[in-house]
């Protein structure tokens, strides 16, 4: 079910949309068979870039903090998806413990928690918030932007189970991406479901591993549609043992950027694309748009400013950046109020539950939009729900555009499922 977008969409479109729409039955069957073999992440958000000639994911978040950007019309979809997810994991579940990020004072983030609590309440669960902050000894009220409040409580662990005072949950939902590592209090839990699993945290996870899985998924999907996987897949390279602060290991980054730019130039020539290619260098295990830089020529890395080197040295929670992914840059030709914009698709279980545009009026089409000064424009939905319209002129139908976003978002989610299976420390084979 894909509601009808009423947001005006502009920007170039291509024959990719027509091919996806005409193949809709085959695509949905293909996804259905994949989900019979693989378990989707509990919830996911995917940042997309639409270049007109290419539509691809550039980041996949397994601890999304953006559910407050869903419009009220989207919430029934989220509730239904949450019900389906919980029924698969713990059908008798009554209590859900939600563990948020430590920076819970941000009004935007608190609104995200409020929305998650609302969704899971309506899915039939009692939800309470537990903090990983060891200094928290008693419940603390958190004021919400709408005048309400949430209560953050200290975690209690007894007999291998994690909970709160007078609250023993079946399921624990992490909305903390564990960038600083895995707290011992979350390890070796007894008969409780921890979602997402610990190896999904950024202390362990790597973007390069995710995009390796995405490349595999994109090739399968492209074969199904008889198309070039490059149209939906950003090429990438990876470098370890990098220290931007000390300017060591940058030869690897420069070499990888040079090779990747050459590959992109060849693809642009093949498709008659006149734009100047670029690559994006970013922390291999980072979030919040930290540790990100755009490179249009590998020689630029010879003369990085001190400010840029400092910015590329530290990720979230003060974590030192020593590994980077060098990713093919996908320009965004989506515009909202004449500002560069990129769509973000939100999912629970295997279902698309909505999305929004991330907009930045001071950033260019080849720059990271997840940066200070960015804004969010929710994808508004009409009152009547409408499915995609095969046969409509490409680009003319908002439901068609959103369906295409949803397909690529689900491909990234499927890649995350592959990734988590491949890196599961409890699996028989660990890559």
């Amino acid at each position: 079910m894909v509601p009808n977008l009423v947001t005006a969409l502009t920007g170039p479109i291509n024959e990719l949309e027509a091919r996806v729409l005409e193949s809709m039955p085959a695509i949905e069957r293909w996804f259905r068979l994949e989900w019979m073999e693989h378990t989707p992440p509990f919830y996911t958000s995917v940042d997309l870039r639409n270049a007109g000639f290419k539509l691809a994911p550039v980041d996949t978040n397994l601890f999304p903090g953006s559910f407050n950007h869903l419009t009220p019309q989207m919430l029934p979809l989220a509730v239904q998806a949450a019900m389906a997810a919980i029924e698969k994991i713990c059908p008798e579940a009554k209590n859900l413990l939600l563990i948020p990020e430590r920076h819970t004072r941000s009004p935007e983030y608190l609104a995200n928690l409020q929305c998650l609590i609302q969704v899971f309440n309506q899915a039939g669960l009692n939800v309470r918030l537990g903090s990983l902050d060891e200094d928290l000894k008693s419940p603390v009220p958190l004021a919400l932007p709408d005048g309400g409040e949430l209560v953050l409580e200290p975690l209690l662990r007894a007999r291998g189970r994690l909970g709160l005072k007078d609250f023993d949950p079946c399921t624990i939902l992490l909305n903390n991406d564990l960038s600083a590592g895995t707290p011992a209090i979350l390890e070796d839990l007894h008969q409780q479901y921890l979602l997402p699993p610990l190896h999904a945290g950024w202390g362990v996870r790597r973007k390069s591993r995710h995009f390796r899985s995405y490349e595999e998924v994109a090739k399968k999907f492209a074969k199904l549609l008889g198309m070039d996987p490059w149209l939906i897949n950003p090429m990438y390279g990876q470098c370890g043992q990098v220290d931007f602060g000390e300017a060591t290991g940058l030869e690897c980054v420069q070499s990888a950027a040079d090779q990747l730019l050459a590959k992109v130039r060849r693809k642009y020539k093949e498709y008659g694309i006149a734009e100047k290619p670029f690559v994006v260098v970013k922390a291999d295990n980072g979030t919040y748009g930290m540790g990100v830089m755009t490179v249009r020529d590998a020689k630029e890395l010879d003369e990085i400013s001190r400010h840029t080197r400092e910015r590329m040295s530290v990720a979230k929670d003060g974590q030192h950046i020593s590994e980077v992914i060098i990713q093919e840059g996908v320009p965004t030709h989506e515009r909202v109020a004449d500002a560069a914009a990129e769509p973000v698709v939100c999912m629970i279980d295997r279902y698309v539950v909505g999305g929004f545009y991330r907009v930045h009026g001071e950033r260019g089409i080849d720059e990271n939009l997840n940066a200070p000064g960015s804004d969010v424009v929710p994808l508004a939905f009409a009152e009547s729900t409408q499915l995609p319209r095969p046969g409509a002129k490409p680009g003319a139908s908002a439901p068609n555009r959103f369906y295409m976003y949803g397909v690529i978002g689900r491909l990234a989610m499927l890649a995350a499922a592959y990734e988590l299976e491949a890196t599961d420390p409890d699996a028989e084979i660990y890559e």
Side-chain angles (χ1 to χ4, degrees), residues 413-427:
M413 176 172 57
L414 179 58
Y418 281 34
E419 171 198 357
L420 292 178
E421 289 169 9
T423 56
D424 185 351
D426 295 325

Side-chain angles (χ1 to χ4, degrees), residues 109-430:
Y109 184 67
L110 290 178
N112 165 68
L113 295 179
Q114 182 184 28
C115 184
L116 284 173
I117 291 171
Q118 179 184 355
V119 166
F120 288 105
N121 276 161
Q122 294 185 21
L125 295 168
N126 302 312
V127 186
R128 285 166 63 177
L129 294 175
S131 174
L132 287 172
D133 185 351
E134 296 177 356
D135 295 330
L136 187 72
K137 303 301 181 184
S138 59
V140 173
L142 302 172
L144 290 167
D146 66 2
E149 73 172 26
L150 301 176
V151 177
L152 186 64
E153 303 178 65
L155 292 172
L156 300 175
R157 179 160 172 158
R159 297 183 294 280
R161 292 180 68 85
L162 190 62
L164 308 173
K165 184 180 180 181
D166 303 320
F167 190 76
D168 184 29
C170 159
T171 305
I172 300 163
L173 180 60
L174 287 175
N175 200 242
N176 182 312
D177 62 23
L178 307 180
S179 291
T182 304
I185 197 170
L186 297 179
E187 295 179 337
D188 302 317
L189 295 176
H190 179 62
Q191 294 184 342
Q192 285 179 306
Y193 295 94
L194 181 66
L195 302 166
L198 292 178
H199 65 283
W202 282 121
V204 178
R205 188 175 177 235
R206 295 294 180 269
K207 294 181 182 181
S208 54
R209 182 64 186 80
H210 171 74
F211 281 99
R212 192 195 320 169
S213 295
Y214 183 79
E215 185 174 34
E216 180 184 351
V217 168
K219 285 179 178 177
K220 288 184 179 181
F221 184 78
K223 185 177 180 181
L224 175 74
L225 267 62
M227 57 179 273
D228 182 352
W230 177 76
L231 295 173
I232 57 171
N233 179 37
M235 298 184 288
Y236 73 96
Q238 193 266 350
C239 286
Q241 299 182 331
V242 175
D243 189 325
F244 280 91
E246 299 296 328
T248 58
L250 299 189
E251 303 84 2
C252 175
V253 181
Q254 190 171 40
S255 174
D258 198 36
Q259 292 175 30
L260 191 54
L261 284 166
K263 289 181 182 179
V264 178
R265 275 192 287 270
R266 285 194 292 271
K267 277 295 183 183
Y268 279 19
K269 184 177 180 181
E270 177 185 342
Y271 283 93
I273 298 164
E275 300 194 29
K276 183 177 176 62
F278 65 99
V279 298
V280 178
V281 180
K282 51 189 174 183
D284 207 5
N285 63 334
T287 56
Y288 288 146
M290 300 178 72
V292 180
M293 66 182 293
T294 298
V295 177
R296 300 165 189 84
D297 187 319
K299 292 178 181 177
E300 295 172 13
L301 292 165
D302 285 332
E303 300 177 356
I304 306 178
S305 69
R306 181 176 179 180
H307 172 70
T308 300
R309 286 197 289 112
E310 289 175 353
R311 183 168 53 81
M312 291 295 296
S313 297
V314 181
K316 185 190 164 196
D317 290 338
Q319 296 300 298
H320 178 69
I321 296 174
S322 60
E323 300 171 79
V324 295
I325 180 173
I326 301 91
Q327 189 177 64
E328 174 191 351
V330 182
T332 178
H333 286 295
E334 296 281 18
R335 311 288 290 182
V336 171
D338 204 34
E342 62 186 15
V344 179
V345 177
C346 299
M347 293 161 284
I348 296 178
D349 195 65
R350 60 193 177 99
Y351 304 102
V352 174
V353 298
F356 58 91
Y357 273 119
R358 181 180 292 117
V359 183
H360 205 305
E362 298 176 4
R363 292 288 175 110
I365 64 172
D366 60 354
E367 294 183 288
N368 171 40
L369 303 187
N370 188 12
S374 67
D375 198 5
V376 165
V377 177
L379 291 173
F381 284 68
E383 291 181 6
S384 61
T385 298
Q386 206 170 57
L387 291 171
R389 298 197 295 262
K393 182 180 178 182
S397 165
N400 287 357
R401 180 70 64 87
F402 188 69
Y403 177 73
M404 205 164 65
Y405 290 163
V407 167
I408 304 301
R410 284 184 288 164
L411 290 177
M413 176 172 57
L414 179 58
Y418 281 34
E419 171 198 357
L420 292 178
E421 289 169 9
T423 56
D424 185 351
D426 295 325
E428 292 183 6
I429 299 176
Y430 179 80

